Amino acid sequence: MSTRELPPGRGERVADWFDGRLGIHSLGRKYLRKVFPDHWSFLLGEICLYSFVVLILTGVYLTFFFHPSMNEVTYHGSYLPLNGVRMSEAYASTLDISFDVRGGLLIRQLHHWAALVFVAGMLTHMMRHFFTGSFRRPREVNWLFGWSLLFLGMFEGLFGYSLPDDLLSGTGLRFVNGALLSVPIVGTYLSMFLFGGEFPGHDIVARFYSLHILVIPGIMAALIVAHLLLVVFHKHTQFAGPGRTERNVVGAPFMPVYLAKAGGFFFLVFGALTFMAAVATINPVWSYGPYRADQVSTGAQPDWYLGFAEGLVRVMPGWEITLWGHTLVLGVLIPVVVFPLLLVFIGVYPFLEARITGDKREHHLLDRPRNRPVRTGIGAAWISLYLILLAGGGNDIVATRLHLSINTVTWAIRIAALVVPVTVFVVTRRICLGLQLRDRERVLHGRETGVIKRLPHGAYVEVHEPLSLAELHTLTAHERPGELVENEP
């Protein structure tokens, strides 16, 4: 009995046409089955990605109604307390989005909350990579891509919350103008260039709008694509465990397991952000009023990710010196220099560690933070300094809520900025060494069971249960750091 081969269908012919020209089938067969390890910490990167997607979607919606103009108009809208008040078109359109556009306030708040979560996710994601050492060769370039995304994300947020031209964002721009003016020789020119004349000028909103919706998002999208491509190219890092080596990856395939999980997690992130936007008010610009150069908003702080920059300025003494006929405002200039240096240190750390340790090998297995006490101590010290300066950015609020003198709070933060990071480094390193000793005891003697046994000669001992081979592998599959020596307590 003979069988006739059926001619290919239209869909198959279309697929063959594209595969012959683009190689889709070959690429799909290779990469759709790529293995991804499974660990909860990997979700931090996905939160960043999905928050960025939400930002793009909500940002496109807001562009339909926002007018990036500083031309003055008289407001006549749904928010009665501001009726008849002169304000910029940018501020008036923000009020219209909040009160007159269907779903406008929800989308506006969703956009702002997604921005905060996006930057928080990036910072947490980078700290996870820092403490586990996944930035080592061959992933140094990808680390720089992630660091660049964090750096751009901070300024993207600054440009974004400056667009409504309300009194709070205008106070923030006054801070930016002061930082620019503190730069020696060229400070005045930088300020005039940015604001298009004397502060606040008439072009700043339109300029920030172009940067906010076109330039910086385009660069960030390109960096995200490059970041993900390098993740696929270098393969995913994984924690040490049975069957896991520097040459393989243990996990689930991208299609369909990982893709299904990622799709479900996207909707969870989207839903959580929407819930936050629906129940928690953020940036209520109508309560601040339009910006005026002769007014300032009380209790003004930027979003949390730039709070440490303002904290640097607030806790810095108001020093000034005069050199060659020029006045240097060190109280602002030094924080302006220290602010990027704190971020640059984290960006170049992989290269510093490789140079100091002489480690030029490729690494695909992650470190347990306790097994790298110095690196873990440095990271903890950096975070402690960041949090201290963040509190300094709201020293007036801290003083008010705790019923303290603002001078007392400022001096406490000044002292803490010098003492706490050193203390945190020493304590964290000692904790890591202690955890290593505890792991060593578990490997040598097993797990404590809580069962007390009396020996024939009358002594009492606790019964220990041997660890499984998998647990022994996890606790011993790492290089012995130099900080841990035999006679160290």
Side-chain angles (χ1 to χ4, degrees), residues 177-259:
N177 183 55
L180 291 175
L181 291 175
S182 70
V183 179
I185 302 176
V186 298
T188 304
Y189 299 98
L190 292 176
S191 176
M192 297 283 286
F193 174 77
L194 179 64
F195 292 97
E198 293 288 341
F199 176 83
H202 299 283
D203 302 326
I204 190 62
V205 169
R207 293 183 178 187
F208 276 12
Y209 185 71
S210 299
L211 292 171
H212 184 71
I213 71 168
L214 291 176
V215 180
I216 296 182
I219 297 174
M220 296 180 71
L223 288 173
I224 288 175
V225 172
H227 187 74
L228 295 177
L229 288 176
L230 284 180
V231 169
V232 174
F233 175 72
H234 290 143
K235 73 183 181 182
H236 219 303
T237 54
Q238 58 187 347
F239 286 95
R244 300 175 182 178
T245 68
E246 297 283 3
R247 297 181 176 275
N248 71 343
V249 179
V250 178
F254 177 76
M255 183 71 180
V257 179
Y258 189 82
L259 186 61

Side-chain angles (χ1 to χ4, degrees), residues 117-338:
V117 173
F118 176 58
V119 181
M122 284 194 293
L123 182 60
T124 311
H125 183 58
M126 284 194 68
M127 288 297 101
R128 197 276 293 182
H129 283 285
F130 182 89
F131 288 117
T132 58
S134 67
F135 52 73
R136 294 171 294 176
R137 182 181 178 187
R139 296 175 177 83
E140 301 98 331
V141 174
N142 217 12
W143 169 267
L144 290 179
F145 284 167
W147 178 85
S148 300
L149 282 168
L150 176 62
F151 193 81
L152 289 173
M154 290 182 174
F155 286 95
E156 174 75 345
L158 170 65
F159 298 154
Y161 67 67
S162 299
L163 292 180
D165 195 35
D166 59 290
L167 187 56
L168 180 62
S169 66
T171 304
L173 288 180
R174 187 194 298 273
F175 174 87
V176 172
N177 183 55
L180 291 175
L181 291 175
S182 70
V183 179
I185 302 176
V186 298
T188 304
Y189 299 98
L190 292 176
S191 176
M192 297 283 286
F193 174 77
L194 179 64
F195 292 97
E198 293 288 341
F199 176 83
H202 299 283
D203 302 326
I204 190 62
V205 169
R207 293 183 178 187
F208 276 12
Y209 185 71
S210 299
L211 292 171
H212 184 71
I213 71 168
L214 291 176
V215 180
I216 296 182
I219 297 174
M220 296 180 71
L223 288 173
I224 288 175
V225 172
H227 187 74
L228 295 177
L229 288 176
L230 284 180
V231 169
V232 174
F233 175 72
H234 290 143
K235 73 183 181 182
H236 219 303
T237 54
Q238 58 187 347
F239 286 95
R244 300 175 182 178
T245 68
E246 297 283 3
R247 297 181 176 275
N248 71 343
V249 179
V250 178
F254 177 76
M255 183 71 180
V257 179
Y258 189 82
L259 186 61
K261 290 182 178 180
F265 191 55
F266 167 74
F267 288 107
L268 285 176
V269 172
F270 205 150
L273 290 174
T274 305
F275 177 77
M276 293 165 61
V279 302
T281 301
I282 187 170
N283 197 23
V285 296
W286 54 88
S287 64
Y288 308 137
Y291 177 69
R292 286 180 51 180
D294 60 337
Q295 295 183 357
V296 64
S297 176
T298 58
Q301 287 96 27
D303 282 339
W304 69 269
Y305 45 84
L306 284 176
F308 79 103
E310 181 158 340
L312 280 167
V313 175
R314 291 197 183 193
V315 303
M316 183 70 191
W319 296 339
E320 291 185 1
I321 61 174
T322 302
L323 294 175
W324 303 291
H326 294 277
T327 300
L328 298 182
V329 186
L330 298 182
V332 180
L333 179 60
I334 291 178
V336 168
V337 174
V338 173

Side-chain angles (χ1 to χ4, degrees), residues 52-110:
F52 184 77
V53 173
V54 174
L55 282 170
I56 295 298
L57 295 176
T58 54
V60 170
Y61 181 85
L62 293 175
T63 58
F64 296 152
F65 308 101
F66 182 73
H67 302 291
S69 172
M70 297 187 71
N71 294 330
E72 283 199 351
V73 296
T74 301
Y75 178 72
H76 297 286
S78 300
Y79 189 66
L80 297 181
L82 290 178
N83 266 342
V85 175
R86 298 283 293 176
M87 61 184 64
S88 66
E89 285 190 58
Y91 186 71
S93 63
T94 304
L95 293 178
D96 290 338
I97 291 173
S98 302
F99 297 107
D100 297 310
V101 175
R102 186 180 298 275
L105 181 58
L106 176 65
I107 299 299
R108 214 186 117 246
Q109 297 200 149
L110 177 58

